[in-house]
């Protein structure tokens, strides 16, 4: 199967899942699992966990939750309103 046909199937399945009311994260995850099972077979399911755990081990995105926490502290204390 060509890459063009696979791309059409991928986006079609994703749109179908999103139209059915599934949240975006679960729709993308379900699409990935379905296509991995279809194209590579059940023995390739370890790729999902290996990819997830390897991306969780990076410290690049640690600043994002701390930035949101800092913004909540500033908004809750009223300092953000004074600064704005």
């Amino acid at each position: 199967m060509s890459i063009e046909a696979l791309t059409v199937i991928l986006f079609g399945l994703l749109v179908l899942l999103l139209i059915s009311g599934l949240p975006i994260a679960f729709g993308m995850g379900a699409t990935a699992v379905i296509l991995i099972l279809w194209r590579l077979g059940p023995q390739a399911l370890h790729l999902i966990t290996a990819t997830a755990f390897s991306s969780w081990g990076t410290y690049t995105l640690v600043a994002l939750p701390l930035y949101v926490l800092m913004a909540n502290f500033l908004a809750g204390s009223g300092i953000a309103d004074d600064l704005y």
Side-chain angles (χ1 to χ4, degrees):
M1 178 174 289
S2 68
I3 192 71
E4 293 86 9
L6 192 60
T7 304
V8 169
I9 291 171
L10 177 121
F11 282 116
L13 181 61
L14 182 61
V15 167
L16 180 71
L17 289 174
L18 293 179
I19 288 174
S20 70
L22 202 63
I24 293 173
F26 297 129
M28 292 179 77
T31 302
V33 169
I34 290 169
L35 286 177
I36 284 176
L37 283 172
W38 178 53
R39 295 292 294 169
L40 302 175
Q43 67 273 12
L45 284 178
H46 69 86
L47 293 173
I48 298 170
T49 57
T51 304
F53 283 122
S54 69
S55 65
W56 290 340
T58 61
Y59 294 103
T60 306
L61 299 176
V62 170
L64 291 176
L66 296 176
Y67 184 77
V68 171
L69 180 67
M70 179 188 66
N72 283 329
F73 285 154
L74 291 174
S77 66
I79 295 174
D81 294 330
D82 294 338
L83 288 174
Y84 186 66

